[in-house]
Amino acid sequence: MSTHIGKDFIPPDVPGKVTGEIKYAEDYKREGMVFARLLTSPMPSGRVVNIDASEALRMDGVVGVFTADDLPPVPPPGNPALASEYVTYVGQPILAVAAISEEIAESAIDKIRIDFERRDFVVDPIESLSPGGSNAYPEGNVLVRTQEEGPEGAPIVGAEIRDIKWPQSAIDAIKTGKEPVGGEFTTEWAFGDLDAGFADAATIIEEPFVTIGYPHHSLEARTGMAYWENGKCYFHGSSQSQSANNAGLARMLGIDLADLVFINEATGGGFGSKIGPYPFMAITGNFARVLNRPVQLRITREQEFYIGSARSGMQGWIKVGVKADGKVSAVDLVIVNDGGATGGGSGNSSAQHVTVAYQPESMRYRGISVYTNTTPRGAQRGPGQNEMAAVLAPMTDRAAAAINMDRVAFRTRNVLDSDGFQGGSQGPVTSAFVREALAQGARTFGWDEKLAQPKVNGSKVRGVGVGIGYHGAGGRGYDGLLRIAPDGRLFIHSGVGNLGTYSYAGTCRAAAEALQVPWERCEIVNGRSDKHLPHSSGQGGSNTIFTHTRTNWLAAQDAIAKLKEIAAADLGGAADDYGIGDERVYQSADSSIGLTYAEAAQRAMELGGKFSGQEYPDDINPLTQLAVQGLAGTGLIGVAKDNIPGQGQPPGVVVGFCEIEMDKDTGKFEILDYTAIADCGTVVHPKNFDNAMRGGAVWGVGMTALERHVYDPQNGLPANTGLYQNKPPTYKDVNLNTKMGGVNIPDPQNPTGGRGIGEPTQGASAAALASAISNALDGHLFNTAPTTTDMIINHLAGNSYSTKSLKTNTF
Amino acid sequence: MYSNTTKNGAMSVNSKLTRRRFIKGVIFSGAAATTGTGMYLAANAQSGQSAAERLVTLNINGRNRPVDVLPSETLAYTLRYKLDMTGTKIGCNRGECGACTVLIEGVPNYSCSVLTHNVKGKAVISIEGVKAADGTLHAVQQAFIAENSPQCGFCTPGQVMSAVALLNNNPRPTRSEAIDAMSGNLCRCGAYEHYINGVMRASGQLA
Ligand code: FES
Ligand code: FES
């Protein structure tokens, strides 16, 4: 029976959050610390001709100016920390000024004169693809990968910028919702017989769609503080990840792994924007070295909008063929991504969502990602998948209606099961119980009952919707590390970042469970790399629960094997004759013969070698090797690399059910009910599962109804840099009586049965709400994310203004 | 629901009004659009010279704290950077998020949008002053732990302050009153329901 997995507990950092005592990067001060501020580009596209900082440098209290010349050059398409020659978006950092006070630093910024040369700019990817359209970079307008894409959040490597234009006929086609025949793409794949699939179809829907990017706006802006001591850099950062930062950040600073102490006890949100070391960390660390003083580089809210990354937008076209029995026989999908100033889009992940939602018999995907002179784009919670879910759900409803099929039945007909596939390569999944989730959700929500209720009540109309969110939810090959101290306590070392998901803590429960140690006798060691933390995945891609319950469980198995060996050597018999329990290792035949964990740890220290970390497996990561070396001789060490055999993507799936009441006079709606059921294997930490599910549900409302970039196409200026204008959901925008559940069927490839769930929570909510909006309006398709109140009221008033000319960023 | 009237009957400073007054008076007076809105939004940034700091005595968490304060300095800044009370968070520095919420004469205010000079002689309670002198956590803090309310925690001190103010004025709010009272506090993580459950638990309405 499980003692920890599936049970609630209080993650150790929660009390510090309610008292304000926990520290974020900006809460640290250091003797002699100076304050750095960024000077950023006022224009969307231009060339820096001259920088005159002389007046600023003469100011009392100014200690230095740091420019791109102080950093190794980053050729395009890399995202430089500081622009060297060309600026490609409003808000792009050009230099940093440090002074003894923030006030002086800010005043100094005003004294710096920069001469710019303006360049043409573009904020709409379709415009850039048009004949004669502007290019966001001097080199061109399209990011072409020459090497396979890394994991989400990884910096772009192996890519070049090309200049691609489409014939006017293709531009006209995509703008009017037709296939852009003759348009060039940079990513293409297909499976099955598409022509046969469409020929088999009883109904075909063909629709354009657009989704608009929006900033992450983590509540903590990415402030950092760094100082150097004895050749080591101490870096207080704001990252989603802990260990996954070290190698990249050490490289940015030009130092060995062993010379970087990355400190990040808590992070005020990330949502994909802080997965790995981001370019601006290079300024803080290197500036501190040049000045030989601690430097705090504080990022303002407005700057966080500029440099804090955003979701890629997309404009696309889809054609779906459905057979009379409801099976999706063919999908043809085209996506033009708005890659902003960094060029990367998530069209491939959007296409992956379609494969999961439909399990189509045949499919073709063609994509291209276009640079615009807007903010850098990066991974944002279910990048690609979630926005696709939002626009696909109402179309799915239309397809179901066309063949007279219930919308939940339609989704069940095309559901991802354990023998199903995901993505263009049709790769396997570790297990999937979405069928069960749909059934459980429909029951909990009362789908049939709600459909049977009257729809119209005066000027109010009800809508009910259903949607599916998907994201891969697990990784392999990382390391686990723990120590049984000579007093018998279990120290679980975690290199998992603490961005508010509590997965750093939840995953440690796997070690406690395996070693059968009560939680109050366990301590999680995390938050600074000099606490000897193992190599860990980055906290992106919903992976952590799957990935690190495995590593911690494996480290525990290593410790158990060592406990048994020590006991057998001391007390006789073979290791196999021993079992564990009650913090003892004892003979299975006679439990009175044994050692306590404390005694065994003391023996491990006497024996040395592998038992106490003087020796370690040679397949562990260099970072873990450093960590074990640091712990050597302090107890019984359990350490292992995750080599558990197995294949397939661990899926994270959520199905959402939403009921709204819309006021036809105002276009506003209230969410009356939201129910979501996850297929994420065994729920590891129920209370936190609820919070993750609800947080994602809130994000789904933002995506479908509220949040978007707005750029002025005349001047290329962002119109909504702040929180207030960008409108992340507030208490008043969401339902606060939601019902959350899980299928709770263990995944066979995880010793605890768990998989991650962070991202699909949003996709399900976004999709279910979009489905409900469409349902309230008799199946009208907006084909937009977001679908804002003004679009709804325009539709109700008979204006096609909002949907006639789809555009990302600028409508 | 807490109203515009504080316990002792004085008119409260509605946080939104406070913010507007501040914006009109300060932000538009000279923020340079290209440099990003920094800590010093005010006229100082234009002059390029420090205006004189003046010694004032503030009443923070029941203690008198003498501190040198610039004319343009916000209370959030004074708390965090002059008094080392970093529990108060700055999420936006422009009255949009509530991460910086403190109580002034019992009323929640966005401390990023209040000039420190304006709270002379007023009782200010920050997150550091919420738990009891013996370290016992406030009922709101205990409930937020029990409900696992925070996710990233960056909005949490502000959420605690708004919840404390609410319960001081209305010890048994309805759920919808609680939502109204908390609605000035943005949570980007979307932990709203867990905060509301925390408020209901703290007010003894949730077992
Ligand atoms: S920091 Fe004061 S309202 Fe956001
Ligand atoms: S818990 Fe992260 S912003 Fe509220």
Side-chain angles (χ1 to χ4, degrees):
Chain A
M1 211 196 74
S2 82
T3 48
H4 296 75
I5 301 299
K7 304 276 191 293
D8 282 331
F9 69 103
I10 296 169
D13 56 321
V14 178
K17 286 176 173 172
V18 305
T19 57
E21 281 158 17
I22 198 165
K23 284 192 186 274
Y24 300 80
E26 197 177 331
D27 298 334
Y28 287 93
K29 256 193 189 167
R30 189 92 192 154
E31 188 67 34
M33 185 171 93
V34 293
F35 302 86
R37 285 289 181 274
L38 295 175
L39 186 154
T40 64
S41 170
M43 63 183 65
S45 184
R47 201 168 75 83
V48 176
V49 179
N50 188 44
I51 299 176
D52 179 359
S54 52
E55 199 183 337
L57 282 167
R58 279 197 302 273
M59 284 173 63
D60 277 351
V62 170
V63 298
V65 172
F66 194 78
T67 70
D69 293 345
D70 299 304
L71 290 169
V74 179
N79 181 19
L82 293 166
S84 48
E85 190 174 1
Y86 290 98
V87 289
T88 54
Y89 60 99
V90 172
Q92 180 168 12
I94 297 170
L95 57 78
V97 177
I100 55 166
S101 79
E102 304 189 280
E103 183 209 6
I104 297 173
E106 283 172 20
S107 302
I109 293 262
D110 281 349
K111 301 288 180 212
I112 293 173
R113 297 290 155 235
I114 300 189
D115 297 329
F116 293 99
E117 212 172 75
R118 281 186 183 275
R119 289 187 65 252
D120 281 347
F121 66 89
V122 65
V123 295
D124 175 7
I126 302 294
E127 192 189 311
S128 185
L129 283 176
S130 302
S134 302
N135 290 340
Y137 277 83
E139 296 86 351
N141 64 338
V142 173
L143 179 78
V144 182
R145 297 192 188 258
T146 52
Q147 217 171 292
E148 205 173 311
E149 231 174 290
E152 268 168 26
I156 295 170
V157 285
E160 59 188 26
I161 301 180
R162 278 178 51 201
D163 185 359
I164 295 180
K165 300 293 173 212
W166 283 8
Q168 190 60 45
S169 56
I171 298 292
D172 293 342
I174 196 162
K175 281 189 173 174
T176 50
K178 304 283 182 317
E179 180 182 359
V181 178
E184 184 181 343
F185 298 96
T186 55
T187 309
E188 289 197 50
W189 50 255
F191 58 78
D193 185 338
L194 202 65
D195 293 336
F198 282 118
D200 283 351
T203 191
I204 292 176
I205 58 160
E206 186 178 348
E207 294 290 337
F209 57 88
V210 68
T211 70
I212 306 179
Y214 55 92
H216 297 69
H217 267 327
S218 306
L219 203 54
E220 181 203 13
R222 56 199 60 229
T223 291
M225 193 271 270
Y227 60 94
W228 294 75
E229 243 172 44
N230 303 326
K232 279 191 189 221
C233 181
Y234 292 79
F235 198 111
H236 292 273
S238 170
S239 177
Q240 292 180 220
S241 312
Q242 171 71 46
S243 291
N245 271 295
N246 285 50
L249 184 52
R251 255 196 314 278
M252 280 183 189
L253 302 173
I255 55 177
D256 292 339
L257 262 183
D259 291 331
L260 172 65
V261 180
F262 184 68
I263 306 153
N264 195 179
E265 195 184 339
T267 292
F271 315 109
S273 71
K274 301 175 182 168
I275 297 176
Y278 36 84
F280 316 99
M281 285 181 171
I283 306 172
T284 318
N286 285 305
F287 207 1
R289 175 162 49 193
V290 174
L291 296 173
N292 196 22
R293 296 178 79 151
V295 169
Q296 183 203 69
L297 174 61
R298 203 174 67 79
I299 302 298
T300 65
R301 173 54 46 195
E302 187 183 359
Q303 288 170 347
E304 181 66 16
F305 169 88
Y306 295 136
I307 68 172
S309 183
R311 189 179 290 271
S312 163
M314 62 177 172
Q315 184 155 354
W317 166 86
I318 191 170
K319 186 173 160 188
V320 180
V322 179
K323 294 201 279 199
D325 67 353
K327 184 64 215 164
V328 174
S329 52
V331 176
D332 199 2
L333 176 66
V334 165
I335 289 175
V336 178
N337 269 115
D338 166 21
T342 37
S346 10
N348 205 36
S349 302
S350 301
Q352 184 204 37
H353 173 80
V354 179
T355 65
V356 169
Y358 287 165
Q359 299 284 289
E361 292 172 344
S362 66
M363 179 165 167
R364 173 169 65 164
Y365 167 66
R366 290 167 288 170
I368 184 168
S369 187
V370 180
Y371 284 96
T372 57
N373 296 111
T374 63
T375 62
R377 306 307 170 94
Q380 185 188 91
R381 205 170 197 160
Q385 293 96 352
N386 286 352
E387 58 268 38
M388 193 70 222
V391 286
L392 192 67
M395 297 179 199
T396 307
D397 295 349
R398 175 165 289 187
I403 55 160
N404 268 320
M405 198 166 182
D406 171 77
R407 292 179 280 155
V408 174
F410 185 90
R411 286 163 171 85
T412 308
R413 174 73 184 86
N414 293 292
V415 80
L416 170 72
D417 285 322
S418 293
D419 59 357
F421 64 90
Q422 51 73 34
S425 59
Q426 295 188 281
V429 294
T430 55
S431 68
F433 306 97
V434 191
R435 182 180 299 277
E436 289 77 1
L438 278 163
Q440 186 178 333
R443 266 197 319 274
T444 311
F445 179 71
W447 175 255
D448 292 333
E449 297 78 354
K450 285 197 157 104
L451 283 182
Q453 282 168 23
K455 219 172 144 176
V456 181
N457 174 16
S459 67
K460 302 277 176 69
V461 56
R462 280 184 338 109
V464 293
V466 55
I468 296 178
Y470 175 85
H471 199 278
R476 298 178 161 88
Y478 296 92
D479 299 335
L481 174 63
L482 54 78
R483 175 175 76 104
I484 301 174
D487 65 357
R489 282 159 50 84
L490 175 61
F491 290 82
I492 306 157
H493 290 241
S494 173
V496 168
N498 180 11
L499 69 158
T501 63
Y502 301 117
S503 60
Y504 84 89
T507 51
C508 287
R509 305 272 286 176
E513 174 94 33
L515 278 158
Q516 298 178 41
V517 178
W519 193 236
E520 54 290 355
R521 300 267 298 151
C522 297
E523 191 171 309
I524 301 171
V525 183
N526 69 320
R528 4 183 341 146
S529 54
D530 58 356
K531 287 182 172 175
H532 316 302
L533 310 181
H535 173 55
S536 303
S537 66
Q539 275 49 74
S542 305
N543 82 87
T544 311
I545 285 290
F546 181 90
T547 312
H548 285 291
T549 47
R550 284 165 59 118
T551 57
N552 287 328
W553 184 85
L554 285 167
Q557 298 309 313
D558 183 54
I560 291 167
K562 287 169 181 167
L563 284 166
K564 289 178 178 177
E565 272 185 62
I566 290 171
D570 275 18
L571 305 171
D576 283 352
D577 299 336
Y578 287 80
I580 59 158
D582 292 328
E583 299 171 73
R584 290 178 71 242
V585 52
Y586 52 77
Q587 280 187 1
S588 307
D590 178 357
S591 65
S592 70
I593 302 173
L595 298 170
T596 63
Y597 282 2
E599 289 164 346
Q602 289 157 23
R603 285 292 292 136
M605 289 161 67
E606 289 158 19
L607 291 166
K610 70 176 182 181
F611 295 104
S612 70
Q614 274 90 355
E615 291 160 24
Y616 43 78
D618 51 19
D619 61 351
I620 59 173
N621 182 276
L623 195 68
T624 316
Q625 293 180 18
L626 284 175
V628 181
Q629 288 160 12
L631 289 178
T634 61
L636 188 152
I637 303 297
V639 57
K641 176 183 163 85
D642 174 2
N643 287 321
I644 301 176
Q647 56 156 352
Q649 183 170 79
V653 188
V654 177
V655 297
F657 293 82
C658 184
E659 179 185 25
I660 63 166
E661 183 178 73
M662 183 184 286
D663 186 329
K664 292 184 103 166
D665 291 337
T666 63
K668 292 193 76 117
F669 60 81
E670 189 184 338
I671 300 170
L672 302 178
D673 196 359
Y674 182 67
T675 297
I677 306 294
D679 170 26
C680 60
T682 303
V683 173
V684 168
H685 179 192
K687 195 103 197 167
N688 192 55
F689 165 83
D690 285 351
N691 211 340
M693 292 283 279
R694 289 178 173 136
V698 169
W699 269 71
V701 174
M703 167 176 275
T704 288
L706 301 168
E707 297 184 63
R708 59 173 160 169
H709 271 148
V710 178
Y711 273 84
D712 153 21
Q714 300 251 306
N715 304 301
L717 301 177
N720 56 349
T721 60
L723 295 167
Y724 188 63
Q725 306 103 320
N726 185 64
K727 195 71 182 90
T730 69
Y731 277 98
K732 300 284 212 170
D733 296 311
V734 296
N735 185 282
L736 294 176
N737 285 298
T738 61
K739 298 183 210 73
M740 299 296 156
V743 173
N744 234 337
I745 302 174
D747 189 278
Q749 291 193 30
N750 186 289
T752 65
R755 295 188 236 112
I757 204 59
E759 286 157 298
T761 53
Q762 179 191 16
S765 158
L769 175 57
S771 168
I773 292 172
S774 176
N775 179 249
L777 298 169
D778 301 320
H780 176 73
L781 298 182
F782 289 96
N783 294 333
T784 59
T787 300
T788 54
T789 309
D790 56 307
M791 297 179 198
I792 294 171
I793 196 72
N794 267 313
H795 164 70
L796 288 165
N799 301 329
S800 57
Y801 163 77
S802 302
T803 45
K804 202 169 56 190
S805 166
L806 294 179
K807 277 192 201 73
T808 190
N809 282 333
T810 58
F811 78 118
Chain B
M1 183 180 147
Y2 80 95
S3 70
N4 275 357
T5 310
T6 57
K7 251 198 210 152
N8 58 16
M11 274 306 284
S12 76
V13 191
N14 175 302
S15 53
K16 290 208 174 85
L17 288 180
T18 307
R19 177 185 130 221
R20 286 215 191 91
R21 202 162 56 221
F22 179 81
I23 287 172
K24 213 167 58 190
V26 179
I27 294 183
F28 286 163
S29 73
T34 57
T35 58
T37 47
M39 276 296 178
Y40 288 88
L41 302 161
N44 292 336
Q46 296 292 297
S47 74
Q49 287 297 321
S50 289
E53 290 186 331
R54 283 228 322 269
L55 184 69
V56 297
T57 298
L58 303 176
N59 180 346
I60 314 277
N61 299 329
R63 280 181 56 202
N64 284 333
R65 305 284 303 257
V67 54
D68 289 318
V69 173
L70 288 162
S72 62
E73 192 168 309
T74 66
L75 180 55
Y77 185 89
T78 308
L79 290 171
R80 286 183 53 81
Y81 298 104
K82 296 272 178 78
L83 297 173
D84 274 335
M85 299 167 82
T86 55
T88 297
K89 296 296 178 237
I90 296 180
C92 67
N93 208 30
R94 51 194 290 175
E96 296 184 339
C97 74
C100 61
T101 305
V102 300
L103 308 189
I104 301 174
E105 299 290 331
V107 177
N109 271 263
Y110 294 160
S111 66
C112 74
S113 303
V114 172
L115 295 177
T116 307
H117 276 286
N118 288 350
V119 299
K120 275 180 293 189
K122 292 181 182 162
V124 174
I125 305 288
S126 73
I127 185 69
E128 287 85 358
V130 169
K131 64 181 182 190
D134 68 354
T136 309
L137 297 186
H138 188 280
V140 165
Q141 293 172 313
Q142 292 181 25
F144 279 11
I145 293 173
E147 289 297 329
N148 196 44
S149 301
Q151 288 193 29
C152 80
F154 207 74
C155 72
T156 308
Q159 307 276 2
V160 170
M161 300 315 294
S162 290
V164 167
L166 166 68
L167 298 187
N168 283 344
N169 289 296
N170 180 359
R172 287 181 74 81
T174 65
R175 222 174 151 83
S176 108
E177 286 171 342
I179 290 169
D180 283 344
M182 301 290 287
S183 64
N185 291 77
L186 197 69
C187 175
R188 185 47 159 164
C189 297
Y192 297 124
E193 195 165 338
H194 288 245
Y195 286 121
I196 294 299
N197 291 343
V199 173
M200 299 319 277
R201 177 178 291 275
S203 60
Q205 302 180 83
L206 206 71

